[in-house]
Amino acid sequence: IRRSHSIQKLGPLAIIAKDSKVLTPKVSQKTGRLELVEKGLSQASIFPGFCEKHEALFGSFENSKNMAGVEAISLQIYRSICREVVRLKHQIEFGKKMISEYENFRNKKLKRIMGKKLGSNWMKINNVKINEINLTSDTLINFIRGKYIKLENIVEELEQEHLREIEECLKINDGNSEGTLNPVSITIDEQIPVALSGMGSFCIAEDNNSKEVLVVLLVLPDAKGTTIVIHGKSSDTKYFHGYLSRLKNSF
């Protein structure tokens, strides 16, 4: 399915839409700044995430205007994680492509600079040709690769831990085990004009080590109000409950 919604089209998206359009953040390629651009409901929050079998999992609540019940919220959490996996993998592949293009550009530029420094006459007299230039270390590429190694580690954690846990709870992929999910969820009787499906993180210090805790973040307005959900894998429950306890109020 090329266009799976990560947020219900006829639910939260339709509720906050004006003239069947919503505003979504996008980084401008010209300015590098985050801008809000209009998108129609059919294009908002979509990603190429599921086959037909898995897309059918969401049929039970996709056409509902309200996010009711633990199972519906669990399915919403599931596809939010799936979208992050797809998005991060695309970002990693794009980054690798950009590194390769930069290396080719850099090496051609260095060959020209070296040829100009040596001088064409000197190179001809001494029968010198510059065939290839290799750099053992490039601080820019080392920095970028470090960033993408971190992203690859996040994808691995999402796939091997977060997704596996929720798939077992929802009996996805013919799993036999069953568990329970315990997301932090609050509902307020005010309709917030924002629909959010994504992930956030925070760092904790434990035993002199730093640990990054990944959490799913959802904001889901409906006809009656807004549901806000925070969810992490079960082994991190104590961390995000501890994080929330440091805030001044539950909202």
Side-chain angles (χ1 to χ4, degrees):
I1 305 295
R2 295 182 61 188
R3 296 176 180 176
S4 295
H5 281 81
S6 56
I7 304 175
Q8 288 164 281
K9 176 182 175 182
L10 299 180
L13 290 179
I15 285 172
I16 66 171
K18 290 184 178 180
D19 298 325
S20 297
K21 293 180 180 179
V22 294
L23 293 174
T24 187
K26 183 179 181 180
V27 176
S28 170
Q29 296 298 321
K30 292 183 178 180
T31 65
R33 296 178 180 178
L34 200 62
E35 299 176 350
L36 288 174
V37 297
E38 278 192 348
K39 279 196 175 183
L41 291 182
S42 296
Q43 298 294 322
S45 85
I46 59 172
F47 69 107
F50 300 106
C51 63
E52 292 182 3
K53 176 183 175 182
H54 284 82
E55 181 74 6
L57 290 168
F58 312 106
S60 60
F61 77 98
E62 183 59 39
N63 294 323
S64 173
K65 293 184 179 180
N66 295 321
M67 182 65 64
V70 175
E71 184 179 4
I73 290 179
S74 298
L75 285 168
Q76 181 64 61
I77 291 170
Y78 173 65
R79 63 180 180 180
S80 296
I81 299 174
C82 288
R83 180 180 182 275
E84 286 301 296
V85 169
V86 172
R87 184 184 68 81
L88 289 173
K89 283 184 175 180
H90 175 75
Q91 188 174 339
I92 291 168
E93 289 305 310
F94 179 77
K96 289 178 178 178
K97 181 181 178 182
M98 293 298 292
I99 287 175
S100 178
E101 291 178 356
Y102 163 72
E103 285 180 321
N104 290 332
F105 170 80
R106 177 201 64 193
N107 293 346
K108 288 178 180 178
K109 191 77 172 178
L110 287 175
K111 284 174 65 176
R112 285 200 297 268
I113 292 173
M114 184 167 285
K116 187 175 181 180
K117 290 285 186 180
L118 295 175
S120 57
N121 289 335
W122 182 90
M123 291 175 66
K124 187 176 182 179
I125 293 171
N126 292 278
N127 194 28
V128 172
K129 293 182 179 180
I130 305 172
N131 294 320
E132 187 177 349
I133 290 180
N134 290 316
L135 295 183
T136 56
S137 181
D138 185 317
T139 53
L140 176 60
I141 287 181
N142 291 341
F143 173 77
I144 295 173
R145 280 183 177 151
K147 291 287 186 181
Y148 285 105
I149 288 172
K150 181 180 179 181
L151 292 183
E152 288 173 337
N153 291 335
I154 291 174
V155 169
E156 183 178 1
E157 179 182 339
L158 291 177
E159 288 187 315
Q160 300 300 322
E161 300 180 50
H162 292 254
L163 278 183
R164 182 172 296 177
E165 182 175 80
I166 197 168
E167 284 172 348
E168 289 178 349
C169 291
L170 294 171
K171 294 185 178 180
I172 296 174
N173 295 331
D174 301 321
N176 295 318
S177 56
E178 184 177 4
T180 56
L181 294 178
N182 296 297
V184 175
S185 176
I186 66 169
T187 300
I188 59 174
D189 58 1
E190 188 73 25
Q191 196 180 87
I192 300 176
V194 171
L196 173 69
S197 166
M199 304 222 33
S201 67
F202 59 91
C203 288
I204 60 162
E206 185 177 52
D207 299 328
N208 296 321
N209 294 316
S210 178
K211 173 182 171 65
E212 185 175 25
V213 180
L214 301 175
V215 291
V216 179
L217 301 171
L218 302 173
V219 179
L220 306 167
D222 59 35
K224 298 179 180 179
T226 305
T227 298
I228 301 171
V229 179
I230 303 173
H231 171 75
K233 62 184 181 183
S234 58
S235 59
D236 287 338
T237 301
K238 62 179 180 180
Y239 300 129
F240 63 81
H241 276 284
Y243 179 85
L244 292 173
S245 70
R246 299 175 65 86
L247 304 180
K248 293 181 179 181
N249 57 61
S250 59
F251 180 73

